[in-house]
Amino acid sequence: MKFGTTLRRSVYPPWRDQYIDYDKLKKLLRESDDDDKPWTADDVTEFTEELANVQLEKVYNFKKETAKKLRERTTACEKKLEPLAIGIKAEESNGKGKIDGDSEDPSYADVAAEKPEVGAGDKERILREVRAELDEITKEVKELETYSRINYTAVIKATKKHDKLRGRSYRLRPFINARLTEKPIYTEDHSPLVYRLSAMYSFVRQSLEGKPKEALSFAESTTEGEGSTSYKFWVHKDNLLEVKTVILRRLPVLVYNPQTSQIAEGSQRDPTITSIYFDNPDFSLYTDKVTHVPNARSLRLRWYGQLAENPNIFFEKKEMVEGGASQEKRFTIKDKYIQPFIEGKYHMEKSIQKMEARGNQDQQEVAAFKKATDDIQRFIKERDLQPVLRANYTRTAFQIPGDNRVRVSLDTNLALIREDALDQDRPCRESDDWHRRDVDDRQMEYPFKGLRKGELYDFPHALLEIKVKGMKKYEWIEDLINSHLVKEAPRFSKFVQGVAKLFEDQVNTFPFWMSEVETDIKREPAKAFEEEQQRKQKAAEDDFAVGSLFGTRASPSYRASYMSPAQHSPLAAAQDNDKNTKTVEEADSDSEGAQAAVTDASPFARSTGLGSLFPSFSTSKYARRKKETQRKVQLPPGIRHPGVWIKDQGPVKVEAKVWLANQRTFIKWQHVSVLLASLSLGLYNAAGENNVIARTLAVVYTLVAVFSLAWGYGVYMWRNRLIRERSGKDFDSIVGPLVVCVGLVVALCLNFGFKYHAIVTEREEQQNATMPAVAAQATALLQEHIELLRT
């Protein structure tokens, strides 16, 4: 299906005028123009202006404004539910006080007393109105996600058409990628809003059912150890060594033998993993995965090392279930049976017979194996699946042997290779074989130089995946995922990335991260810190809004910051069946991952100096960070300020460079003071008794020198005290340098003024002294002339 038809079918009628005008772009591109009119620079400018500034700007502004309205409507729903939540909390608080015999907690009771009590009829009416509004908001959130994705695809398609037809002298793709980074029209930024909607749905539903107390215990049923969370990141190749160093300080490298799945005794290089993904000519599995269709499924073959080494080959089917978790079915198969299995001629009879012949094999395990093979074979037949993509990469695993609470994998040298036979004239793989013989028989390795152009895509970054089991937090993981060393890549999939790049003409939708892959992901540490602070603040606001409905000290999403609500369900049954296998044989995860949201941050103390007088003025390069963190945080009910932070307890341990930096600054001030004192002394001695101006300025310079000395000592002692107290205040102090600079400028200006005045006065005196002599001489000459006239 052509993309133009797909775009027209995807239009949401109320937003019809806000979509990209794809037909106009094709007209400007003159795709179907048969005349010989040359393509000029003006045509390039017109097309680029229309695509990058008009159409892209229109979509970005509409998406931004619509998302803002949806958040405002969600907040309005929360405010409508707030009186109901306060009434429930106040009632529970009073009841608890009577049972326990303690004084009643005024946190909710006082607030409830200030608001009028909501009657039963009004309560049900409010709940039903909010539920109807939530249905509309949820519908528009879904439509907005579809709107963003289809317009993003339109931009990519139009850009590709330009580069294919008119890109001989100028390729537009890099410029459009940069514009998409500036104006992101397709991002995964709806998760916090969806979670707030989910929380309100739960509250409304259980309140209408007469079970509000269950809503107050939301997200408390998950116990530690029942689930795991996956975090995915991109790592720039320049940061690989530093990331490995950070991980190696906490976790050892897990080295294993892919043949026996046992931990190797000797040293060996990191294993190479190969995955072959299945799909049909319509790429329906890819489309379902990109568009987040419920129960989206994927199928692949996976093995370690070279196929010539006869490794264990795993046939794996993964299905996304409700809530975002996944279920996996897999079994091992020999390479000679793969093609007959795909064609439906072999049903794993030999493996089943061997399992039954052992006698001691659990019947449930045999039945599960039969069910898995039948399900995968039926899935291949129903969806007309065939191998289409190969992913080859080197994996470095980090894990404490026997302890799977934290597992980290780092994939490098990711090569995505076409494995299809869709083009009958130039098939990449023989249609009657399940894999590429040219790659496996020749034992090709990265960078696969023997492949033809267009069959290989070299992914530019490394992939980092962190799996945390349970809800325990690890400080070093938080520091790593919030640092500049990694870039979050939620929902990233090797299969989706490979199809989107290598089959760009055959698909009509693209993942949201496509434009970011080809841009530079390196970030400055200060910028990464500022972005993280902004993200924490936004997450804290959303968490507080959700938590206010359930009476929790923090919202459910805060409590489950390492475990997303989508992953609260138990692990997949297939994973449970594989618990007895070695840790190194954990399935290679390629599913969507959850992103942690850390919300607790300590505000900095107020700054001193000019910053306290002019809050908007600061010389610190972290001024924006301070403005964000200095905002007053309203503590939830039942929470009070600790008085003394944990960081301020225990003995003071300060690095020597901190003390030396403070001393070095004091020595600089002494240096300035000595220079000014020497200047004033020299000026005073050279001035003489009659030069009052020079002697006065020498005294002024002496006063500035004394001030510099006193100020340097005072700042030194003040910073010394802050270091000992482990204060969070800003060490910047600009008053002293300003005073010294202003004093010197004023002294120089006065010196110039006095000198100029003295010169002018001296000239006037000289003129006044010569005037009487000239007048006498003129008078004498005049008298002589008079005498001559008389004679």
Side-chain angles (χ1 to χ4, degrees):
M1 184 185 300
K2 292 186 176 181
F3 177 73
T5 304
T6 303
L7 177 60
R8 286 189 290 271
R9 292 183 178 181
S10 304
V11 169
Y12 181 50
W15 302 343
R16 182 178 302 275
D17 297 335
Q18 303 299 331
Y19 285 77
I20 282 181
D21 193 344
Y22 193 68
D23 293 334
K24 182 177 181 180
L25 292 174
K26 291 198 299 181
K27 184 178 180 181
L28 291 175
L29 196 58
R30 301 208 301 268
E31 180 183 14
S32 59
D33 196 355
D34 297 331
D35 60 18
D36 298 330
K37 184 179 179 180
W39 180 262
T40 64
D42 293 337
D43 295 326
V44 175
T45 302
E46 185 179 4
F47 179 82
T48 305
E49 179 72 19
E50 180 68 24
L51 175 60
N53 295 333
V54 178
Q55 301 293 336
L56 182 58
E57 190 78 20
K58 176 180 69 174
V59 173
Y60 173 74
N61 292 335
F62 178 77
K63 181 204 170 185
K64 184 178 179 181
E65 185 65 25
T66 305
K68 180 181 178 182
K69 291 180 180 178
L70 291 174
R71 288 193 297 268
E72 292 174 350
R73 292 170 62 184
T74 304
T75 303
C77 290
E78 290 169 345
K79 290 183 179 179
K80 287 183 179 180
L81 294 178
E82 185 178 356
L84 307 183
I86 290 177
I88 294 173
K89 297 166 189 172
E91 181 180 351
E92 290 194 347
S93 178
N94 294 337
K96 183 178 180 180
K98 293 177 181 179
I99 293 175
D100 297 339
D102 298 331
S103 60
E104 297 181 0
D105 184 6
S107 56
Y108 294 120
D110 293 345
V111 177
E114 298 175 0
K115 294 182 177 291
E117 185 177 356
V118 180
D122 293 338
K123 175 181 177 181
E124 184 175 357
R125 177 182 57 80
I126 293 174
L127 289 173
R128 294 190 183 279
E129 289 178 355
V130 170
R131 184 172 62 180
E133 178 67 9
L134 291 178
D135 291 339
E136 292 295 327
I137 296 174
T138 304
K139 177 185 176 181
E140 291 201 6
V141 169
K142 182 176 179 295
E143 293 294 342
L144 184 61
E145 196 273 341
T146 304
Y147 168 86
S148 302
R149 184 178 62 253
I150 197 68
N151 282 282
Y152 174 81
T153 304
V155 173
I156 298 298
K157 288 284 186 179
T159 305
K160 182 176 177 60
K161 283 182 178 296
H162 172 275
D163 291 348
K164 184 177 181 180
L165 297 175
R166 313 294 184 184
R168 294 181 180 178
S169 59
Y170 175 70
R171 296 188 63 81
L172 193 59
R173 187 65 175 269
F175 173 72
I176 292 299
N177 287 339
R179 287 289 292 168
L180 287 171
T181 302
E182 298 174 1
K183 305 287 184 180
I185 60 175
Y186 183 28
T187 55
E188 292 288 300
D189 57 356
H190 301 307
S191 297
L193 179 60
V194 171
Y195 188 68
R196 292 169 64 184
L197 295 173
S198 175
M200 283 189 286
Y201 266 121
S202 178
F203 180 83
V204 171
R205 182 179 64 254
Q206 297 186 24
S207 296
L208 288 173
E209 293 174 358
K211 301 177 181 179
K213 292 184 179 181
E214 293 183 7
L216 298 179
S217 61
F218 183 78
E220 291 290 345
S221 61
T222 302
T223 57
E224 185 171 351
E226 286 189 346
S228 61
T229 306
S230 175
Y231 306 88
K232 293 184 177 182
F233 305 92
W234 295 339
V235 181
H236 194 278
K237 293 184 178 181
D238 293 345
N239 296 333
L240 267 178
L241 182 58
E242 189 171 356
V243 170
K244 287 184 178 181
T245 303
V246 171
I247 300 173
L248 282 173
R249 293 174 180 172
R250 281 87 183 178
L251 299 175
V253 175
L254 193 64
V255 183
Y256 60 94
N257 189 334
Q259 294 292 335
T260 62
S261 299
Q262 301 290 334
I263 297 177
E265 297 180 358
S267 60
Q268 63 183 54
R269 67 176 187 175
D270 293 329
T272 299
I273 301 178
T274 301
S275 297
I276 294 182
Y277 295 93
F278 286 67
D279 210 333
N280 48 42
D282 296 330
F283 292 96
S284 60
L285 299 188
Y286 164 86
T287 303
D288 291 347
K289 198 173 183 66
V290 174
T291 57
H292 311 316
V293 172
N295 302 324
R297 292 171 289 180
S298 61
L299 185 68
R300 67 180 175 185
L301 291 163
R302 179 173 61 89
W303 67 87
Y304 295 87
Q306 292 290 344
L307 194 61
E309 300 172 355
N310 296 322
N312 292 330
I313 303 176
F314 296 90
F315 225 134
E316 301 175 345
K317 176 192 174 186
K318 184 171 293 185
E319 180 177 355
M320 304 304 297
V321 297
E322 183 179 358
S326 62
Q327 289 182 351
E328 184 177 274
K329 296 180 180 179
R330 68 171 181 167
F331 60 88
T332 58
I333 185 173
K334 293 184 178 180
D335 58 347
K336 62 181 179 180
Y337 296 133
I338 295 178
Q339 186 62 28
F341 182 86
I342 295 175
E343 296 174 353
K345 300 177 181 178
Y346 178 69
H347 304 280
M348 303 298 294
E349 295 92 344
K350 292 186 178 181
S351 298
I352 296 174
Q353 292 175 0
K354 289 181 180 180
M355 295 175 66
E356 293 176 341
R358 292 174 185 170
N360 58 351
Q361 199 76 29
D362 190 355
Q363 293 299 322
Q364 293 183 353
E365 185 177 347
V366 176
F369 182 83
K370 290 181 180 179
K371 184 178 179 181
T373 55
D374 293 342
D375 183 69
I376 291 178
Q377 202 164 44
R378 183 170 56 254
F379 181 55
I380 295 175
K381 183 178 180 180
E382 291 176 353
R383 303 298 291 266
D384 188 23
L385 301 180
Q386 58 178 290
V388 296
L389 179 73
R390 175 187 297 238
N392 184 276
Y393 50 95
T394 301
R395 167 160 294 183
T396 305
F398 304 86
Q399 179 184 333
I400 299 176
D403 186 356
N404 63 348
R405 290 176 297 176
V406 179
R407 291 176 288 131
V408 180
S409 62
L410 187 62
D411 297 340
T412 55
N413 298 336
L414 173 58
L416 301 169
I417 305 170
R418 290 187 59 164
E419 197 86 9
D420 65 288
L422 301 178
D423 188 353
Q424 299 297 329
D425 297 330
R426 296 183 61 188
C428 301
R429 166 186 54 83
E430 296 296 332
S431 58
D432 58 349
D433 204 349
W434 63 274
H435 68 114
R436 294 186 58 158
R437 292 287 180 178
D438 58 339
V439 175
D440 293 323
D441 292 350
R442 294 162 57 185
Q443 298 189 22
M444 286 190 185
E445 294 183 347
Y446 185 84
F448 298 95
K449 294 183 178 180
L451 299 180
R452 294 174 295 186
K453 184 178 180 181
E455 295 182 352
L456 171 68
Y457 172 66
D458 187 3
F459 190 72
H461 312 304
L463 301 176
L464 176 67
E465 183 173 11
I466 303 176
K467 292 183 179 180
V468 180
K469 192 173 184 180
M471 297 178 64
K472 182 179 178 182
K473 293 184 178 181
Y474 298 87
E475 184 178 357
W476 70 272
I477 294 180
E478 290 187 11
D479 293 340
L480 177 59
I481 65 180
N482 296 331
S483 69
H484 67 286
L485 299 175
V486 298
K487 176 178 175 56
E488 60 181 350
R491 297 183 180 272
F492 178 80
S493 168
K494 303 181 184 73
F495 167 60
V496 171
Q497 177 66 26
V499 172
K501 290 298 296 185
L502 296 174
F503 301 92
E504 201 170 31
D505 295 333
Q506 286 92 331
V507 296
N508 288 330
T509 184
F510 296 106
F512 65 93
W513 63 78
M514 278 287 290
S515 61
E516 299 180 0
V517 172
E518 299 176 5
T519 58
D520 190 5
I521 64 173
K522 291 186 70 175
R523 297 182 298 168
E524 293 295 331
K527 183 178 180 181
F529 179 81
E530 292 174 1
E531 293 175 353
E532 178 59 23
Q533 293 301 313
Q534 294 175 3
R535 190 185 68 82
K536 285 182 179 181
Q537 181 184 359
K538 183 178 179 181
E541 293 174 356
D542 293 338
D543 290 342
F544 186 78
V546 176
S548 63
L549 293 179
F550 299 98
T552 54
R553 294 185 176 181
S555 75
S557 60
Y558 170 83
R559 294 178 177 220
S561 61
Y562 264 119
M563 182 178 296
S564 67
Q567 293 168 314
H568 284 166
S569 59
L571 291 176
Q575 292 176 339
D576 293 336
N577 293 335
D578 292 328
K579 284 182 178 178
N580 294 329
T581 61
K582 294 295 179 181
T583 305
V584 295
E585 279 299 323
E586 282 286 348
D588 176 29
S589 175
D590 201 22
S591 60
E592 290 82 355
Q595 200 62 30
V598 185
T599 58
D600 49 338
S602 302
F604 289 91
R606 292 178 298 177
S607 62
T608 59
L610 290 182
S612 60
L613 298 177
F614 307 100
S616 62
F617 176 75
S618 175
T619 57
S620 175
K621 65 180 180 180
Y622 301 107
R624 286 185 57 194
R625 179 197 66 182
K626 290 185 60 179
K627 289 179 182 178
E628 295 292 338
T629 56
Q630 284 177 353
R631 293 181 180 178
K632 185 178 180 180
V633 179
Q634 182 181 1
L635 296 177
I639 303 296
R640 61 181 180 84
H641 193 280
V644 180
W645 298 103
I646 296 177
K647 70 179 183 64
D648 295 334
Q649 299 178 0
V652 179
K653 295 181 180 180
V654 183
E655 296 183 7
K657 63 181 181 181
V658 177
W659 297 106
L660 296 177
N662 192 22
Q663 293 176 2
R664 185 164 56 251
T665 305
F666 174 57
I667 294 174
K668 289 289 185 180
W669 277 105
Q670 285 182 322
H671 181 66
V672 173
S673 178
V674 170
L675 288 178
L676 291 175
S678 301
L679 175 63
S680 62
L681 182 61
L683 183 61
Y684 188 86
N685 293 332
E689 297 181 358
N690 297 327
N691 195 342
V692 180
I693 297 176
R695 295 169 69 91
T696 303
L697 291 176
V699 173
V700 173
Y701 288 136
T702 302
L703 295 177
V704 175
V706 173
F707 171 80
S708 300
L709 180 61
W711 177 263
Y713 179 76
V715 170
Y716 170 75
M717 298 303 297
W718 172 67
R719 290 175 176 168
N720 193 4
R721 178 174 57 82
L722 293 182
I723 293 173
R724 292 180 181 276
E725 294 176 355
R726 289 181 283 204
S727 174
K729 295 181 179 180
D730 196 346
F731 278 42
D732 286 354
S733 182
I734 64 174
V735 176
L738 284 178
V739 170
V740 173
C741 292
V742 171
L744 292 176
V745 171
V746 170
L748 292 175
C749 291
L750 290 176
N751 188 9
F752 176 78
F754 291 152
K755 192 65 177 176
Y756 180 79
H757 179 71
I759 293 174
V760 172
T761 303
E762 183 178 355
R763 288 182 178 178
E764 290 179 353
E765 291 178 354
Q766 291 178 356
Q767 291 178 358
N768 293 334
T770 57
M771 285 299 294
V774 174
Q777 186 177 3
T779 304
L781 291 174
L782 182 60
Q783 290 178 354
E784 289 180 0
H785 284 292
I786 294 173
E787 290 295 335
L788 289 173
L789 290 173
R790 288 178 179 178
T791 59

